[in-house]
Amino acid sequence: MEEFILTIRCDDAPGIVLAIAEGVVEAGGNILESDQYSDVITGLFCIRIRFEAQLGSLDSARATIMAKVSRFEPNFLLRTLSHRPRALLMVSKYDHCLFDLLYRWQRGEMPIEIPLVVSNHNDCRELVERHGIEFVHLPVSAATKTEAEARLLELLTEHAIDFVVLARYMQVLSDDLCRVMSGRIINIHHSFLPGFKGAKPYHQAYERGVKLIGATAHYVTAELDEGPIIAQDVVRVEHAHSADGLAIMGSDVERVVLSRAVRLHAEDRVALVGSRTVVFD
Amino acid sequence: MEEFILTIRCDDAPGIVLAIAEGVVEAGGNILESDQYSDVITGLFCIRIRFEAQLGSLDSARATIMAKVSRFEPNFLLRTLSHRPRALLMVSKYDHCLFDLLYRWQRGEMPIEIPLVVSNHNDCRELVERHGIEFVHLPVSAATKTEAEARLLELLTEHAIDFVVLARYMQVLSDDLCRVMSGRIINIHHSFLPGFKGAKPYHQAYERGVKLIGATAHYVTAELDEGPIIAQDVVRVEHAHSADGLAIMGSDVERVVLSRAVRLHAEDRVALVGSRTVVFD
Amino acid sequence: MEEFILTIRCDDAPGIVLAIAEGVVEAGGNILESDQYSDVITGLFCIRIRFEAQLGSLDSARATIMAKVSRFEPNFLLRTLSHRPRALLMVSKYDHCLFDLLYRWQRGEMPIEIPLVVSNHNDCRELVERHGIEFVHLPVSAATKTEAEARLLELLTEHAIDFVVLARYMQVLSDDLCRVMSGRIINIHHSFLPGFKGAKPYHQAYERGVKLIGATAHYVTAELDEGPIIAQDVVRVEHAHSADGLAIMGSDVERVVLSRAVRLHAEDRVALVGSRTVVFD
Amino acid sequence: MEEFILTIRCDDAPGIVLAIAEGVVEAGGNILESDQYSDVITGLFCIRIRFEAQLGSLDSARATIMAKVSRFEPNFLLRTLSHRPRALLMVSKYDHCLFDLLYRWQRGEMPIEIPLVVSNHNDCRELVERHGIEFVHLPVSAATKTEAEARLLELLTEHAIDFVVLARYMQVLSDDLCRVMSGRIINIHHSFLPGFKGAKPYHQAYERGVKLIGATAHYVTAELDEGPIIAQDVVRVEHAHSADGLAIMGSDVERVVLSRAVRLHAEDRVALVGSRTVVFD
């Protein structure tokens, strides 16, 4: 027996759950876990199912289930539980988020493949290569930005990348790239959005005198710091903490939140419904 | 259209989800939300479904769905979303948990009926009657304990009580009563179980010098403070807090945790699997 | 023996701690607890001391200590620990924050006197009067706003009010009143500032799809929702929560945060340093 | 100017604060931050002061302040803020706590020197040596336990170790060693003490069905898992988490709690008062 993950998202309509259940049974599956939600705002139906079945052809299982549900014109994904999506990580100089992702990946806690890490600086090369992962230095300047993004797109194709993680990558991506990779780029913003958008959020937080600071992992859209939120968390701070102290405490929250978002995405637990996310956790 | 809650718990077996989906569709239902879990330890399948359907006979819907699933010998519940289970609250002298439950009930946040409150003291009479709820004073002593429990059982029947909430009720219930009402009595223990069982947990916590104190809502079993846990939470404390200070801070956690557990139970979000609970929230 | 609270805030300068310690000893005091902080941004020195001494004249103790520290031109407060500042509570229609304050006050957990509650509506009259507290209905319209504020100022004087708590009071106070009562009006904003300023923050939060919602207690300044923050907290929310659901969950955070801020202020644990606060807790 | 940390613990007595303030001023110091607490149970006075002064002889400053306070027979420590205590880390096979300590140390967030890491296994050698730190393999068996502890004591002396951190070191230390190093060995226990003492706490937690799991950093005493608690934290878990899943989530809490405790100890923010701790944070 092997385990499978099935996710479906489509306009809500009567009979969809029955059709899915029929498909899974016809494919020989026994449902172990199921989460479903119908979003009121968008009218979208989202489901994530884990089922077990005899190891057979994934393609034939797909065809069997799809035959039952195709009339709902679903966004449809079926894969084995053990399949690991391929992530490209991007980083600039701050290494704490990258560090945490690699650490969890090495321990087997992060169900992704990491074919390569791309950076506009060379600072993290040793860290990456020590893990046996290819490091690509892709400098970006105003003059080379278009060329660099073209190269990045090539890398995405060459390495069959499923999604991109901006682990404190400090360059803004072009609108084109955001569109092409819509719902497949995860960024960590070092504040509790929508508070403190833009640059130097810890300094903003220090000057405002907040009592909690936070971090937000979200999908990247063309509009800066406005994409659908996947995960957020905060930590309590006090008057005695300097702006630098906030940055240190905040970096702990950043890495936890980003790692959590990457795991949720990699496990197909996040469904996009308009500008918001449904998270099955 | 009206909304319904369906919960089923039975031994896990292939085809159960399909059978349920068929039943719901045959009853004219459209599933809005569904949570399912198959417990590894006990082999129990648990599902909670919210669906909408044309207002018709609840009994006929029950029969329709039951016909599809009866071969699984399920623990089966179908009710309208708007139906409110009937809870009997018990209290001794500390009123903070009772206070919180009544406050939320009055605001319409707590989906229960409260036909009466029973207490072994008279301290909370005014609070209860102010809410238009009957207050029954049922003193308990070593001599009258059997008699008092007999009267309590009568009250449960007379008022068609679905479940009992011990909102800081300081008498231990008899094993018989625990058995009769198994899975239908919720207690709040003022510590983070399994730490600090028994009496005076805040004093125990103070002497041990813990840095967090907590509260635990659990179903009552014959064995004291050992029943299946429904909800827990903690709050950070410091060296400067006295045992009395811990009790004050702890009372906030107690009321939040108990109110949460009562709401979860009343919304049929808690399934018992052996000595543990599955909570669909 | 009796316990005293001493707070001093002044420009930082060498010798200030020694001068204070000399003053306390000369007044016959033994220091039990002391918190001190020198703020880097404003250069302000803040200290809060709890000491015990023989019950004598408070005025003479004040004179003794002041003689030692007057050269630092301090903002100076000395009172007995048992003294309770006089708070005027203001509310509109939502009663959950008022409810929580009155509940804690009645239990003896909130060290304030509450001579009266003022509201622009009559909804909370019964709740207030049941606690034996005077309720003043002070309607506010565009036409009567100036007059109403004049009456409010009279009430502050007549009842020797130390500070004002806006427990979900939905009228904006005039700049004049904010200035007169600077650092003595506490408001609860139902979002995690600086996110979601202004009206309907829970609807804003719902539409943005945040994963945590919060509340912020702050001193009121002329600029809306921009005053120095005293306390903040958040609670985790999920995609399944509606805007109304967020409001219900948020109301729990609001009341906890506001009650915490009022207690901190009443215990003289909050020092204003520019647009931020130092909180000794 | 340089900054200094002064901590004093002694039986509480009138005049102690004044004596300290006089000493600091006489040593040319200006107090920047001060935390003080007098423990009711033990009658112990604890203070932690950060002050700035002209760089001079530390010994002479010590003598000056000590002259003022020696009559109180204090436990007395004066050091420069920049001084870093020397910690010996011990580990067995699980590397997550060691990993976190080394990571923070490398980033400059952990104010300690780490002359060497000792382990009864060789698994962590590469991790340690990569950081340029000496790794000592000190196997322990029933037969060699006495000998191994003797060697450990030698290492403590040779490397002038100030305190020991058991970063998931799975051997029980002898009573003798616990006594010699009393208050200077920090352990991480992977449960929320006093719940789930002893072995396999995550399995215990799984079977009990708790809704939060935790970790506890404490000083080591002869009695297992009973030493004074420095820091604790918890994380929310659900029915769907296996015992192994709890262990993964728990390992995150463990490393955060241990790193926090080590930082607090290294910054002289922890004072022992009997079987409890005072933490100035």
Side-chain angles (χ1 to χ4, degrees):
Chain A
M1 299 290 275
E2 189 165 355
E3 294 195 12
F4 298 85
I5 299 294
L6 169 67
T7 65
I8 286 177
R9 193 188 57 192
C10 57
D11 287 338
D12 198 6
I16 173 75
V17 174
L18 177 57
I20 295 169
E22 286 173 345
V24 171
V25 166
E26 199 161 313
N30 183 36
I31 296 178
L32 300 174
E33 194 180 358
S34 171
D35 287 290
Q36 175 201 329
Y37 184 70
S38 295
D39 183 51
V40 178
I41 295 183
T42 58
L44 285 169
F45 166 93
C46 310
I47 196 167
R48 180 187 187 271
I49 289 174
R50 178 169 60 90
F51 67 88
E52 58 179 3
Q54 289 289 6
L55 182 63
S57 155
L58 198 58
D59 284 343
S60 94
R62 247 186 225 118
T64 303
I65 301 175
M66 198 58 183
K68 293 284 181 186
V69 301
S70 60
R71 72 180 191 274
F72 301 100
E73 295 177 12
N75 186 317
F76 180 100
L77 175 93
L78 177 66
R79 63 167 176 90
T80 58
L81 180 63
S82 59
H83 172 82
R84 298 151 77 94
R86 297 168 68 80
L88 183 148
L89 314 187
M90 301 188 74
V91 68
S92 291
K93 293 189 164 187
Y94 293 116
D95 67 357
H96 53 281
C97 287
L98 177 65
F99 200 95
D100 200 67
L101 288 166
L102 293 178
Y103 175 70
R104 291 176 196 273
W105 173 79
Q106 194 170 42
R107 280 165 63 92
E109 290 176 21
M110 189 59 73
I112 55 175
E113 302 291 339
I114 309 176
L116 78 166
V117 175
V118 173
S119 179
N120 57 333
H121 293 281
N122 257 314
D123 304 56
C124 296
R125 177 182 294 277
E126 192 273 331
L127 168 63
V128 171
E129 293 181 346
R130 183 206 310 155
H131 287 81
I133 296 171
E134 185 185 349
F135 178 89
V136 175
H137 181 209
L138 191 61
V140 178
S141 66
T144 66
K145 179 151 187 150
T146 310
E147 187 187 341
E149 283 216 347
R151 178 70 190 124
L152 182 59
L153 277 170
E154 284 173 12
L155 289 169
L156 294 177
T157 308
E158 284 168 20
H159 292 273
I161 296 303
D162 291 301
F163 69 105
V164 173
V165 181
L166 306 183
R168 296 298 302 266
Y169 180 69
M170 310 308 276
Q171 295 287 324
V172 176
L173 302 181
S174 72
D175 289 8
D176 272 0
L177 188 58
C178 293
R179 246 189 309 275
V180 170
M181 293 291 289
S182 174
R184 295 193 293 146
I185 307 179
I186 299 173
N187 182 47
I188 181 75
H189 183 73
H190 42 317
S191 87
F192 184 72
L193 289 175
F196 308 128
K197 293 180 202 173
K200 289 195 166 280
Y202 292 125
H203 283 80
Q204 293 183 52
Y206 177 64
E207 274 156 31
R208 182 64 185 87
V210 292
K211 301 303 185 188
L212 298 169
I213 56 168
T216 304
H218 61 96
Y219 289 115
V220 171
T221 54
E223 204 168 342
L224 191 65
D225 300 336
E226 287 289 348
I229 294 170
I230 305 167
Q232 298 189 290
D233 210 346
V234 294
V235 66
R236 195 164 294 280
V237 297
E238 293 181 8
H239 55 265
H241 295 116
S242 63
D244 287 348
L246 296 192
I248 288 175
M249 298 182 72
S251 71
D252 271 5
V253 184
E254 290 168 37
R255 60 182 186 160
V256 167
V257 168
L258 181 60
S259 287
R260 178 172 151 77
V262 170
R263 183 184 57 74
L264 289 170
H265 180 92
E267 294 179 355
D268 293 307
R269 294 181 182 276
V270 189
L272 264 170
V273 290
S275 61
R276 297 174 306 126
T277 62
V278 168
V279 177
F280 293 130
D281 191 28
Chain B
M1 299 290 275
E2 188 164 355
E3 295 195 12
F4 298 85
I5 298 295
L6 170 67
T7 65
I8 286 177
R9 192 188 60 193
C10 57
D11 287 339
D12 199 7
I16 172 75
V17 174
L18 177 56
I20 294 169
E22 287 173 344
V24 171
V25 166
E26 198 162 314
N30 183 36
I31 297 178
L32 300 174
E33 193 180 0
S34 170
D35 287 290
Q36 175 200 331
Y37 183 70
S38 294
D39 183 50
V40 178
I41 295 184
T42 59
L44 284 170
F45 165 93
C46 310
I47 197 166
R48 180 187 186 271
I49 289 174
R50 178 168 61 91
F51 66 88
E52 59 179 3
Q54 289 290 6
L55 182 62
S57 155
L58 199 57
D59 284 342
S60 95
R62 251 188 222 113
T64 303
I65 301 175
M66 197 57 181
K68 293 285 181 187
V69 302
S70 61
R71 71 180 190 275
F72 299 100
E73 296 178 10
N75 186 316
F76 179 100
L77 176 92
L78 177 66
R79 62 167 176 91
T80 57
L81 181 63
S82 58
H83 172 83
R84 299 153 76 94
R86 297 168 67 81
L88 183 149
L89 314 187
M90 300 188 76
V91 67
S92 290
K93 292 188 164 187
Y94 292 116
D95 67 358
H96 53 280
C97 288
L98 178 65
F99 201 94
D100 200 67
L101 288 165
L102 293 178
Y103 175 69
R104 292 177 196 273
W105 173 80
Q106 193 170 43
R107 279 166 64 92
E109 290 175 22
M110 189 59 72
I112 54 175
E113 302 291 336
I114 310 177
L116 77 168
V117 175
V118 172
S119 178
N120 56 333
H121 293 281
N122 257 312
D123 304 57
C124 297
R125 178 183 294 278
E126 191 274 331
L127 168 62
V128 171
E129 292 181 346
R130 183 206 310 155
H131 287 81
I133 297 171
E134 185 184 348
F135 178 88
V136 174
H137 182 210
L138 191 61
V140 177
S141 67
T144 65
K145 178 150 187 154
T146 310
E147 188 188 339
E149 283 215 346
R151 178 68 191 126
L152 182 58
L153 277 169
E154 284 173 13
L155 289 169
L156 294 177
T157 307
E158 284 169 20
H159 292 272
I161 296 303
D162 292 301
F163 71 107
V164 172
V165 180
L166 306 183
R168 296 298 301 266
Y169 180 71
M170 308 308 275
Q171 295 287 323
V172 176
L173 302 181
S174 72
D175 290 8
D176 272 1
L177 187 58
C178 292
R179 245 189 309 276
V180 170
M181 293 291 290
S182 174
R184 296 193 292 149
I185 307 179
I186 298 172
N187 183 46
I188 181 75
H189 183 73
H190 42 316
S191 88
F192 184 71
L193 290 175
F196 307 128
K197 292 179 203 173
K200 289 195 164 282
Y202 292 124
H203 283 80
Q204 292 182 53
Y206 177 63
E207 274 155 32
R208 183 63 186 89
V210 292
K211 301 302 184 189
L212 297 169
I213 57 168
T216 304
H218 62 95
Y219 288 115
V220 172
T221 54
E223 206 169 340
L224 191 66
D225 300 336
E226 288 290 349
I229 294 170
I230 305 168
Q232 298 189 291
D233 210 346
V234 294
V235 67
R236 194 165 294 278
V237 297
E238 293 181 9
H239 54 266
H241 294 115
S242 63
D244 288 347
L246 298 191
I248 288 174
M249 299 182 71
S251 71
D252 272 4
V253 185
E254 289 168 38
R255 59 180 187 161
V256 167
V257 168
L258 181 59
S259 287
R260 176 171 152 77
V262 171
R263 182 184 59 73
L264 290 169
H265 180 92
E267 294 179 354
D268 292 307
R269 294 181 182 276
V270 189
L272 264 170
V273 290
S275 61
R276 298 174 306 126
T277 62
V278 168
V279 177
F280 293 131
D281 191 25
Chain C
M1 299 290 275
E2 189 165 357
E3 294 195 12
F4 298 85
I5 299 295
L6 170 67
T7 66
I8 287 176
R9 192 187 58 192
C10 57
D11 288 338
D12 199 7
I16 173 74
V17 174
L18 178 57
I20 295 168
E22 286 173 344
V24 171
V25 167
E26 199 162 314
N30 183 37
I31 296 178
L32 300 175
E33 195 180 358
S34 170
D35 287 289
Q36 175 201 330
Y37 184 69
S38 295
D39 183 51
V40 177
I41 295 184
T42 58
L44 285 169
F45 165 94
C46 311
I47 197 166
R48 179 186 187 270
I49 290 173
R50 178 169 60 92
F51 67 87
E52 58 180 2
Q54 289 289 7
L55 182 64
S57 156
L58 198 57
D59 284 343
S60 94
R62 247 186 225 117
T64 303
I65 301 175
M66 198 56 182
K68 293 285 180 186
V69 302
S70 61
R71 71 179 190 275
F72 299 101
E73 296 177 12
N75 186 316
F76 179 100
L77 175 93
L78 178 65
R79 63 167 176 90
T80 58
L81 179 63
S82 58
H83 173 83
R84 299 152 77 94
R86 297 168 69 80
L88 183 149
L89 314 187
M90 300 188 75
V91 67
S92 291
K93 292 188 165 188
Y94 292 117
D95 68 358
H96 53 281
C97 287
L98 178 65
F99 200 93
D100 200 67
L101 288 166
L102 293 178
Y103 175 69
R104 291 176 197 273
W105 173 79
Q106 193 170 43
R107 279 166 64 91
E109 290 175 22
M110 189 59 72
I112 55 175
E113 302 291 337
I114 309 177
L116 78 168
V117 175
V118 172
S119 178
N120 56 334
H121 294 281
N122 256 314
D123 304 58
C124 296
R125 178 183 293 278
E126 190 274 332
L127 168 63
V128 172
E129 292 181 346
R130 183 206 311 155
H131 288 81
I133 297 171
E134 186 185 349
F135 178 88
V136 175
H137 182 209
L138 191 61
V140 177
S141 67
T144 65
K145 178 150 186 151
T146 309
E147 187 187 341
E149 283 215 346
R151 178 68 191 125
L152 182 59
L153 277 169
E154 284 173 14
L155 289 169
L156 294 177
T157 307
E158 284 168 20
H159 292 272
I161 297 302
D162 291 300
F163 70 105
V164 172
V165 180
L166 307 183
R168 296 298 301 267
Y169 181 70
M170 309 308 275
Q171 295 287 323
V172 176
L173 302 181
S174 72
D175 290 8
D176 272 1
L177 187 58
C178 292
R179 244 189 309 277
V180 169
M181 293 291 290
S182 174
R184 295 192 293 147
I185 306 179
I186 298 173
N187 183 46
I188 181 75
H189 182 74
H190 42 316
S191 88
F192 185 70
L193 290 175
F196 307 128
K197 292 180 202 173
K200 289 194 166 282
Y202 292 124
H203 284 79
Q204 294 183 52
Y206 177 63
E207 274 155 31
R208 183 64 185 88
V210 292
K211 301 303 185 189
L212 298 169
I213 57 168
T216 304
H218 62 95
Y219 288 116
V220 172
T221 55
E223 205 168 342
L224 191 66
D225 299 336
E226 287 290 350
I229 293 171
I230 305 167
Q232 299 188 290
D233 211 346
V234 294
V235 67
R236 194 164 294 280
V237 297
E238 294 182 7
H239 54 265
H241 294 116
S242 62
D244 287 347
L246 297 192
I248 289 175
M249 298 183 72
S251 71
D252 271 4
V253 185
E254 289 167 38
R255 59 181 186 160
V256 167
V257 168
L258 181 60
S259 287
R260 178 171 151 78
V262 171
R263 183 184 58 75
L264 289 168
H265 179 92
E267 294 179 354
D268 293 306
R269 294 180 181 277
V270 189
L272 265 170
V273 290
S275 61
R276 297 174 307 126
T277 63
V278 168
V279 176
F280 292 130
D281 191 27
Chain D
M1 300 290 275
E2 188 165 357
E3 294 195 14
F4 298 85
I5 299 294
L6 170 67
T7 65
I8 286 177
R9 192 188 59 193
C10 58
D11 287 339
D12 198 7
I16 173 74
V17 174
L18 177 57
I20 294 169
E22 287 173 345
V24 171
V25 166
E26 199 162 312
N30 182 37
I31 297 178
L32 300 175
E33 194 180 1
S34 171
D35 286 290
Q36 175 201 331
Y37 183 70
S38 294
D39 183 51
V40 177
I41 295 184
T42 59
L44 285 170
F45 165 93
C46 311
I47 198 167
R48 181 187 187 270
I49 290 173
R50 178 168 60 91
F51 67 88
E52 59 180 2
Q54 289 289 7
L55 183 62
S57 155
L58 198 57
D59 284 342
S60 95
R62 249 187 223 116
T64 303
I65 301 174
M66 198 58 181
K68 293 285 181 187
V69 301
S70 61
R71 71 180 190 275
F72 299 100
E73 295 178 12
N75 187 315
F76 179 101
L77 176 93
L78 178 66
R79 62 167 177 90
T80 58
L81 180 64
S82 59
H83 172 84
R84 298 153 77 93
R86 298 167 68 81
L88 182 149
L89 313 187
M90 301 188 75
V91 68
S92 290
K93 293 187 163 187
Y94 292 116
D95 67 357
H96 54 279
C97 287
L98 178 66
F99 201 93
D100 200 67
L101 288 166
L102 293 178
Y103 175 68
R104 292 176 195 274
W105 173 80
Q106 194 170 42
R107 279 165 63 92
E109 291 176 21
M110 189 60 71
I112 55 175
E113 303 290 338
I114 309 177
L116 79 167
V117 175
V118 173
S119 178
N120 56 333
H121 294 280
N122 256 315
D123 303 57
C124 296
R125 178 182 294 277
E126 191 274 329
L127 168 62
V128 171
E129 292 181 347
R130 183 206 311 155
H131 287 82
I133 296 171
E134 184 184 349
F135 178 89
V136 175
H137 182 210
L138 191 60
V140 178
S141 67
T144 64
K145 177 149 188 154
T146 310
E147 189 188 339
E149 283 215 346
R151 178 69 191 125
L152 182 59
L153 277 169
E154 285 173 13
L155 289 169
L156 294 177
T157 308
E158 284 168 20
H159 293 273
I161 297 302
D162 291 303
F163 70 106
V164 173
V165 180
L166 306 184
R168 296 297 302 265
Y169 180 71
M170 309 308 275
Q171 295 287 324
V172 176
L173 302 181
S174 71
D175 290 8
D176 272 0
L177 188 58
C178 292
R179 245 188 310 275
V180 170
M181 293 292 289
S182 173
R184 296 193 291 148
I185 307 180
I186 297 172
N187 183 46
I188 181 74
H189 182 73
H190 41 316
S191 87
F192 185 71
L193 290 175
F196 307 128
K197 293 180 201 173
K200 289 194 164 282
Y202 292 124
H203 284 80
Q204 293 182 53
Y206 177 63
E207 274 155 33
R208 183 62 186 89
V210 292
K211 301 301 184 190
L212 298 169
I213 56 167
T216 305
H218 62 95
Y219 289 116
V220 172
T221 55
E223 205 169 341
L224 191 66
D225 300 336
E226 288 290 349
I229 294 170
I230 305 167
Q232 298 188 291
D233 210 347
V234 294
V235 66
R236 195 164 293 278
V237 297
E238 293 182 8
H239 54 266
H241 294 116
S242 63
D244 287 347
L246 297 192
I248 288 174
M249 299 183 73
S251 71
D252 272 5
V253 185
E254 289 168 37
R255 59 181 187 162
V256 167
V257 168
L258 182 60
S259 287
R260 175 171 154 77
V262 171
R263 183 184 58 74
L264 289 170
H265 179 92
E267 294 179 354
D268 292 307
R269 294 181 182 275
V270 189
L272 264 170
V273 290
S275 61
R276 298 175 305 125
T277 62
V278 168
V279 177
F280 292 131
D281 191 25

